[in-house]
């Protein structure tokens, strides 16, 4: 059974807590679908070109229809002309959204948390707070974990704690309602407040 590491105020291991059985045996395809959906939603969707109807100019025929011995042409803004419109080019009206069911989102998050628990990178702490608002204090908290990067999950994010973590590239602090499978899978360790963890466990039952 997977376990989360319970930390004390000094970010040192105090004990362990077992994950609910429902966290185990989840198909990893749920996480794949959620991450795929999240990345698709982040696409800028700015690639766009002008068709021949949108390119300026070309209001008259370039030369007479007959008598020149050449193929007839209606506009110099046709796709085969330099400076003409683009045929079959990208448009910015494409919808990249991919639907993921509510149940799949929950399963994806639970799978990601269980993976962290198995790797020893899921931590639970009573409170995540930097009352001073200083980055050096947040850095000391992160350094005590001895992790490459960390996602901190608070019940309610206060301004002082936000400012303290803001300039640390290897950390990211969020509120509990922002926690999702994509963020959980994207960071190599997670620190969750006890109140948030208890809520996650109660929803998993």
């Amino acid at each position: 059974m997977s376990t989360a590491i319970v930390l004390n105020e000094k970010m040192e291991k105090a004990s362990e807590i077992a994950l609910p059985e429902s966290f185990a045996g989840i198909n990893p395809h749920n996480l794949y679908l959620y991450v795929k959906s999240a990345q698709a939603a982040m696409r800028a969707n700015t690639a766009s070109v002008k068709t021949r109807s949108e390119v300026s100019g070309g209001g008259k025929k370039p030369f007479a229809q007959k008598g020149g011995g050449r193929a007839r042409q209606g506009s110099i803004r046709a796709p085969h002309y330099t400076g003409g419109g683009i045929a079959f080019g990208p448009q910015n009206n494409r919808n990249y959204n991919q639907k993921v069911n509510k149940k799949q989102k929950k399963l994806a998050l639970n799978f990601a948390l269980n993976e962290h628990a198995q790797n020893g990178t899921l931590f639970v702490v009573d409170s995540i707070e930097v009352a001073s608002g200083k980055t050096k204090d947040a850095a000391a908290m992160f350094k005590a974990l001895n992790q490459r990067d960390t996602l901190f999950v608070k019940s309610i994010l206060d301004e002082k704690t936000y400012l303290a973590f803001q300039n640390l590239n290897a950390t990211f602090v969020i509120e509990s309602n922002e926690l999702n499978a994509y963020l959980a899978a994207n960071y190599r360790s997670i620190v969750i407040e006890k109140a948030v963890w208890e809520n996650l466990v109660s929803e998993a039952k």
Side-chain angles (χ1 to χ4, degrees):
M1 182 178 291
S2 303
T3 57
I5 300 173
V6 179
L7 303 175
N8 57 23
E9 295 179 354
K10 297 181 180 180
M11 289 295 171
E12 298 172 342
K13 181 177 179 180
S15 61
E16 293 183 350
I17 183 171
L19 271 67
E21 293 182 2
S22 58
F23 278 64
I26 299 175
N27 193 324
H29 192 66
N30 291 293
L31 178 60
Y32 164 77
L33 290 176
Y34 186 86
V35 171
K36 185 180 179 182
S37 173
Q39 290 180 331
M42 289 188 288
R43 294 190 66 165
N45 197 19
T46 55
S48 181
V49 296
K50 292 183 177 181
T51 63
R52 63 179 297 168
S53 64
E54 297 169 324
V55 177
S56 62
K60 68 174 185 177
K61 289 173 68 66
F63 46 81
Q65 177 91 344
K66 296 178 178 294
R70 291 171 292 181
R72 57 191 177 184
Q73 302 294 327
S75 171
I76 60 171
R77 292 307 177 220
H80 60 279
Y81 275 104
T82 301
I86 304 298
F88 310 113
Q91 299 294 320
N92 60 2
N93 58 357
R94 182 174 175 181
N95 183 10
Y96 291 103
N97 293 337
Q98 299 180 22
K99 185 178 183 299
V100 178
N101 295 331
K102 187 176 181 180
K103 185 177 181 180
Q104 282 185 311
K105 292 179 181 179
K106 186 177 179 181
L107 289 172
L109 176 58
N110 290 350
F111 176 83
L113 293 175
N114 188 61
E115 285 288 293
H116 277 290
Q118 290 179 345
N119 295 331
T121 54
L122 179 61
F123 305 97
V124 178
V125 66
D126 285 340
S127 176
I128 301 171
E129 185 177 4
V130 183
S132 64
K134 294 182 178 180
T135 301
K136 68 175 184 179
D137 294 334
M141 182 186 296
F142 168 63
K143 187 176 180 181
L145 292 170
N146 194 27
Q147 298 293 325
R148 184 171 176 179
D149 53 46
T150 303
L151 176 68
F152 290 88
V153 186
K154 279 181 62 66
S155 179
I156 299 177
L157 181 58
D158 59 281
E159 185 179 2
K160 290 286 188 181
T161 303
Y162 170 75
L163 292 174
F165 281 98
Q166 184 176 243
N167 293 327
L168 291 178
N169 294 330
T171 67
F172 189 44
V173 59
I174 60 172
E175 288 190 348
S176 58
N177 59 352
E178 298 176 279
L179 178 61
N180 57 63
Y182 177 77
L183 286 175
N186 201 37
Y187 283 84
R188 291 177 176 83
S189 62
I190 304 178
V191 177
I192 303 178
E193 279 190 340
K194 187 176 181 180
V196 179
W197 175 251
E198 290 175 348
N199 187 46
L200 288 171
V201 171
S202 64
E203 290 180 354
K205 292 181 180 178

